[in-house]
Amino acid sequence: IFFGFIAVSIGITTIPVILSLTVKYDLPISWVALIAALIVMAFTQWTQFALDLTRLRFAPWSFLVLSLASRVTISILGIIAVVILDFGVDGFLGAQALGLILLFPLTLFVMRRDIKIENWDWKWAKKLLNFGHPFVYVGLAYWLFASTDRWMLAAMNSLEEVGIYSVASR
């Protein structure tokens, strides 16, 4: 949770730079979408962590409730934002962010036994960080490699074509 807050804080401080690049290259990205995307990234990781904990603890009812609540809430808010309110991509990202924020107390409740300060062990944290930090770079490299085709398509065609291609390739 701590590292998630740090990542969101760093991301929010870089938004002016990113927005200046979007204006320079005439990209249709708003500050609402950027902030919502940062919130979605952090809160999705926390929710996924809580779901992983429920699997490890063999707590199927907690897993079902959290998983179903997050999927249903985000779907309903997304439909309202896009179909009824006609907010487009900003509305969809905002609905995801709002849904994850609303469900964060439930996520914390599911993780309550595992996020206590007395459970923190600096030796294990250092070992885990040393072991896990290379996977961050591997994940970034994989994301870069996997999205190169979409970036090339966006440079050659419109973003609508990229969206159609993304859905079709899945």
Side-chain angles (χ1 to χ4, degrees), residues 148-159:
T148 302
D149 57 345
R150 289 167 180 83
W151 290 347
M152 290 181 355
L153 186 61
M156 294 185 286
N157 286 314
S158 66
L159 291 177

Side-chain angles (χ1 to χ4, degrees), residues 27-83:
L27 298 173
I29 300 172
S30 69
W31 64 272
V32 173
L34 290 173
I35 291 174
L38 285 169
I39 291 170
V40 167
M41 284 187 279
F43 281 80
T44 299
Q45 290 300 315
W46 298 330
T47 303
Q48 186 60 48
F49 178 66
L51 289 172
D52 290 342
L53 285 175
T54 59
R55 278 192 220 112
L56 289 172
R57 298 211 182 279
F58 300 106
W61 291 108
S62 295
F63 179 85
L64 177 69
V65 168
L66 182 59
S67 180
L68 196 60
S70 65
R71 303 296 187 258
V72 169
T73 303
I74 290 170
S75 298
I76 290 171
L77 290 174
I79 289 170
I80 291 170
V82 174
V83 176

Side-chain angles (χ1 to χ4, degrees), residues 3-170:
F3 289 122
F5 281 121
I6 289 175
V8 168
S9 300
I10 291 170
I12 287 174
T13 59
T14 61
I15 284 179
V17 175
I18 295 170
L19 283 177
S20 68
L21 291 173
T22 61
V23 170
K24 180 179 177 183
Y25 294 109
D26 195 31
L27 298 173
I29 300 172
S30 69
W31 64 272
V32 173
L34 290 173
I35 291 174
L38 285 169
I39 291 170
V40 167
M41 284 187 279
F43 281 80
T44 299
Q45 290 300 315
W46 298 330
T47 303
Q48 186 60 48
F49 178 66
L51 289 172
D52 290 342
L53 285 175
T54 59
R55 278 192 220 112
L56 289 172
R57 298 211 182 279
F58 300 106
W61 291 108
S62 295
F63 179 85
L64 177 69
V65 168
L66 182 59
S67 180
L68 196 60
S70 65
R71 303 296 187 258
V72 169
T73 303
I74 290 170
S75 298
I76 290 171
L77 290 174
I79 289 170
I80 291 170
V82 174
V83 176
I84 296 173
L85 300 175
D86 197 30
F87 286 157
V89 175
D90 288 352
F92 181 69
L93 285 171
Q96 283 184 313
L98 179 63
L100 289 166
I101 289 170
L102 290 174
L103 288 169
F104 192 59
L106 179 62
T107 304
L108 288 175
F109 180 75
V110 169
M111 297 187 299
R112 70 189 179 279
R113 292 187 299 184
D114 298 294
I115 58 173
K116 295 179 182 174
I117 297 296
E118 58 264 11
N119 291 345
W120 186 260
D121 185 2
W122 286 104
K123 289 181 184 178
W124 271 101
K126 186 176 178 180
K127 285 182 183 180
L128 287 173
L129 188 61
N130 287 335
F131 177 77
H133 84 275
F135 294 108
V136 172
Y137 306 117
V138 170
L140 288 172
Y142 177 76
W143 170 76
L144 181 65
F145 181 72
S147 61
T148 302
D149 57 345
R150 289 167 180 83
W151 290 347
M152 290 181 355
L153 186 61
M156 294 185 286
N157 286 314
S158 66
L159 291 177
E160 289 82 17
E161 295 291 327
V162 175
I164 293 169
Y165 172 77
S166 295
V167 170
S169 68
R170 285 190 182 192

